[in-house]
Amino acid sequence: DEMTPEEREFQERIGRGEKIEPKEWMPEGYRKTLIRQIGQHAHSEIVGQLPEGNWITRAPTLERKAILLAKVQDEAGHGLYLYSAVETLGVSRDELLAMLHSGKMKYSSIFNYPTLNWADIGAVGWLVDGAAIMNQVQLQKTSYGPYSRAMIRICKEESFHQRQGYDIMMKMAFGNPAQKAMAQDALSRFWYPSLMMFGPSDKDSVHSAQSMAWKIKINTNDELRQKFVDQTVPQAKYLGLTIPDENLKWNEDKGGYDFSEPDWSEFFDVIAGNGPCNRERMNARVKAWEDGAWFRDGLVAHAEKTASRRAA
Ligand code: 3HC
């Protein structure tokens, strides 16, 4: 083959299931793929705060408010672990944020959909966090040490997020007819966008083959999407809600459900920047960055003053 001796040794380490650590040799493509994927993941965590933060002031009870507040704070923490993991690959957080703000880096398609009412917060926890965990459980075994360790921590918190979402859905679905209708409406709107979170179908996934050879990804997009559908259908049934897919049917042979693919043209449109909330999300992130400039300047000034006092 065309591998250099270094590349061959690297691939053998991957084959043995060894973790790759920051200061160790790695192929440039491996580093770039990690920066892209972990960076995109970090951006998703902090952009993902926006649709939920939108409901903190309007949560129906004090208890729900406290829970949602904790969850949204967790997402900020996840962003921080992940930005730290990317920084070990030689890119600063400022550079990453600049690439997010200029549109050079992506974040998850799902956060470009609006949260219109309280049932949507239930659906986001149940479906969006449910899809996120389905993807992240396998990433705990990813070959890059810092990413893998961040994922272990994140998955624990993510399971709590999924449970709180399902708990909201139970309250709504078992509530009065108007509440049940809201729960159904939220499921109907979030179903296909949640399926899109796993990325394009395997035949259109440009990065999967190489990322799996490097064990950056452990499962393909379609494998995880199938597992998510299989896990979610009984949960919807328990709630007495209907998944908006006429083709949804148990397939005995494959031991899983057959289901309709999402509208992939909508997906590609959303990741190209044209989803319902892309501009709103980016404006909010850029404004937060600009509004925080005085604080970052203050921190730097303080650090310089302290350092010069120490030198004197
Ligand atoms: N949203 C936006 N872009 C997406 C996407 C999605 N749901 N799915 C795929 N893409 C993009 C890819 O980034 C790639 O574009 P690029 O070359 O410009 O980067 C293109 O579509 C082709 O897709 P591939 O399948 O080839 O890309 P990947 O191999 O990177 O697979 C992935 C996509 C499965 C999303 C993978 O990157 C991944 O597992 N990422 C880590 C998990 C992650 O980012 N999760 C965010 C979800 S939500 C979250 O974490 C917050 C939670 O707390 C609620």
Side-chain angles (χ1 to χ4, degrees):
D1 56 37
E2 297 159 18
M3 283 190 191
T4 64
E6 270 171 325
E7 284 168 348
R8 192 167 307 120
E9 201 205 312
F10 180 83
Q11 198 57 47
E12 281 165 10
R13 292 191 61 197
I14 297 282
R16 288 194 296 271
E18 286 176 28
K19 294 286 181 229
I20 307 303
E21 296 298 337
K23 298 275 155 61
E24 296 170 347
W25 187 87
M26 59 184 78
E28 218 21 58
Y30 179 84
R31 182 189 303 276
K32 278 205 180 121
T33 300
L34 286 173
I35 293 170
R36 179 183 62 78
Q37 178 169 323
I38 310 172
Q40 173 171 319
H41 195 164
H43 296 327
S44 303
E45 300 286 352
I46 61 162
V47 177
Q49 292 185 287
L50 298 169
E52 295 188 292
N54 183 35
W55 278 90
I56 291 173
T57 55
R58 290 173 288 171
T61 66
L62 178 62
E63 193 190 10
R64 290 291 181 195
K65 190 199 279 279
I67 294 169
L68 185 59
L69 198 56
K71 177 191 190 289
V72 173
Q73 279 178 338
D74 283 352
E75 307 296 359
H78 297 176
L80 296 185
Y81 311 146
L82 290 166
Y83 283 123
S84 299
V86 194
E87 284 187 307
T88 66
L89 295 158
V91 192
S92 72
R93 196 180 302 180
D94 285 4
E95 288 171 295
L96 290 164
L97 288 170
M99 288 190 273
L100 171 68
H101 298 158
S102 68
K104 281 207 192 82
M105 282 184 86
K106 295 189 168 76
Y107 57 91
S108 182
S109 51
I110 190 68
F111 302 119
N112 294 303
Y113 292 86
T115 44
L116 303 177
N117 58 49
W118 181 250
D120 285 8
I121 297 303
V124 166
W126 173 33
L127 301 172
V128 174
D129 294 308
I133 308 175
M134 189 55 82
N135 174 283
Q136 289 167 5
V137 162
Q138 46 112 30
L139 289 176
Q140 294 177 105
K141 287 186 269 173
T142 193
S143 58
Y144 189 55
Y147 191 27
S148 164
R149 290 188 288 273
M151 279 299 122
I152 292 168
R153 175 103 186 244
I154 288 175
C155 279
K156 288 188 184 149
E157 295 176 347
E158 210 71 67
S159 332
F160 151 66
H161 297 172
Q162 200 265 352
R163 282 301 303 271
Q164 69 86 37
Y166 197 69
D167 188 59
I168 295 174
M169 291 307 279
M170 288 201 296
K171 269 281 185 312
M172 299 295 286
F174 301 148
N176 65 33
Q179 288 171 311
K180 182 167 183 186
M182 283 173 73
Q184 179 62 55
D185 167 61
L187 165 59
S188 298
R189 279 181 291 108
F190 275 94
W191 177 251
Y192 288 105
S194 300
L195 295 187
M196 292 176 196
M197 287 175 69
F198 296 95
S201 64
D202 291 351
K203 63 178 181 356
D204 297 319
S205 169
V206 285
H207 302 294
S208 278
Q210 181 60 71
S211 288
M212 289 175 75
W214 277 327
K215 293 192 186 162
I216 290 174
K217 283 167 85 163
I218 310 296
N219 291 106
T220 73
N221 300 355
D222 285 335
E223 283 167 4
L224 293 170
R225 191 167 13 250
Q226 178 71 54
K227 281 177 88 167
F228 174 74
V229 171
D230 294 344
Q231 170 185 283
T232 309
V233 170
Q235 295 172 346
K237 207 168 275 173
Y238 179 78
L239 295 172
L241 301 179
T242 308
I243 288 174
D245 180 359
E246 288 175 357
N247 299 317
L248 190 73
K249 203 168 110 245
W250 178 255
N251 179 332
E252 191 62 46
D253 290 341
K254 76 172 179 189
Y257 286 90
D258 289 333
F259 59 93
S260 302
E261 295 274 308
D263 175 355
W264 290 118
S265 65
E266 176 182 322
F267 169 79
F268 287 112
D269 218 32
V270 169
I271 66 173
N274 303 315
C277 300
N278 295 59
R279 275 167 203 84
E280 189 183 330
R281 301 295 183 236
M282 264 315 96
N283 289 343
R285 284 310 321 166
V286 171
K287 182 174 186 305
W289 175 255
E290 286 169 356
D291 288 352
W294 67 273
F295 187 74
R296 292 189 301 277
D297 291 348
L299 278 179
V300 170
H302 178 72
E304 280 169 356
K305 202 161 77 184
T306 314
S308 69
R309 273 208 200 110
R310 215 177 281 129

